[in-house]
Amino acid sequence: MILNTSKRLLAGFALLALTSMATHAAPMEVAGVKFDDTAHVANTDLKLNGAGIRYKAIFKVYAAALYLKDKKTTVPDVLATTGPRRVAIVMLREVSSDEFGDGFISGIQKNTDKAEKIKLTSQFLRLGELFASVPLLKKGDIILTDWIPGVGTIFYLNGKKVGEPYPDIVFNNALMRIWLGEKPVDSSLKKAMLAPEATEDRSSYR
């Protein structure tokens, strides 16, 4: 009787373990880059909203992932969030900082109105100085842009903080629109960074 009870308990724990494994979502893989399901920013656990590839012509430039406190399916909903945010970028090829910075500037120019550009002039100039301080981005380099309420947008390169925070959330929204604006740098990346409205398997992108 004791032996049978022990077997039942072992079977129960085995089933529980298998169920846990089955329901735990695997990291999303994008062009060989694995993005974790969650990111810890400003004492907050953020969820992976979506991830994809930035292409330039036929070349893969970088993989990018968006993390939010709660998953969002539309751009207005993303920009309306006030809690911490993160965009994680992993370089897939070597790119000069000039080329990478030009992509940021172009994305901001196409998706930011004149009034916001004027308001953010000093912060955009600082952003240019930030890119100038990093002459080359190499394959595998990791760039993080974290929005932390009450602090601002902070850039990290390979885990090291670069420059001082950019305090205005309008600045962070301008960055977000590089990928999520009406004229994004890559329309397929925009779609991939937004959470799907219906159940869809997006666990692996090649």
Side-chain angles (χ1 to χ4, degrees):
M1 179 67 71
I2 294 175
L3 182 59
N4 289 336
T5 302
S6 297
K7 285 182 177 179
R8 287 199 300 272
L9 285 172
L10 287 171
F13 279 117
L15 180 61
L16 179 62
L18 288 171
T19 302
S20 298
M21 290 171 64
T23 56
H24 179 73
M28 181 180 287
E29 184 174 322
V30 179
V33 176
K34 291 184 178 180
F35 289 107
D36 291 337
D37 297 328
T38 60
H40 196 67
V41 178
N43 297 317
T44 303
D45 287 327
L46 305 183
K47 299 174 184 177
L48 176 61
N49 202 70
I53 302 168
R54 158 69 164 124
Y55 284 92
K56 188 171 183 179
I58 61 171
F59 300 104
K60 296 176 181 178
V61 182
Y62 56 77
L66 172 63
Y67 290 87
L68 301 170
K69 186 175 180 181
D70 298 299
K71 291 191 175 186
K72 303 298 181 183
T73 61
T74 69
V75 176
D77 284 345
V78 172
L79 298 182
T81 61
T82 56
R85 309 168 177 170
R86 166 173 286 177
V87 174
I89 296 172
V90 180
M91 300 304 299
L92 300 177
R93 63 190 293 262
E94 189 174 281
V95 177
S96 70
S97 63
D98 286 343
E99 183 180 350
F100 190 82
D102 285 346
F104 265 54
I105 292 169
S106 176
I108 290 170
Q109 290 282 3
K110 292 177 180 178
N111 295 282
T112 306
D113 63 34
K114 185 176 180 180
E116 286 189 351
K117 289 177 187 175
I118 293 172
K119 180 179 180 180
L120 299 172
T121 296
S122 63
Q123 294 182 67
F124 289 151
L125 290 173
R126 284 181 52 211
L127 184 62
E129 293 172 357
L130 182 150
F131 286 123
S133 70
V134 183
L136 188 68
L137 292 169
K138 300 176 182 177
K139 182 178 179 179
D141 279 351
I142 300 172
I143 302 164
L144 302 178
T145 66
D146 289 353
W147 165 254
I148 300 175
V151 177
T153 300
I154 302 176
F155 285 83
Y156 297 89
L157 176 61
N158 296 327
K160 183 179 179 181
K161 180 182 172 184
V162 184
E164 295 303 314
Y166 298 75
D168 202 324
I169 194 170
V170 178
F171 174 85
N172 191 266
N173 281 344
L175 289 183
M176 286 289 179
R177 286 196 291 267
I178 293 173
W179 305 285
L180 302 178
E182 292 184 5
K183 299 178 180 179
V185 292
D186 189 311
S187 57
S188 62
L189 175 57
K190 173 181 177 177
K191 181 179 179 181
M193 290 176 77
L194 293 172
E197 294 185 10
T199 301
E200 180 182 347
D201 182 8
R202 287 166 53 176
S203 60
S204 180
Y205 283 76
R206 304 298 179 190

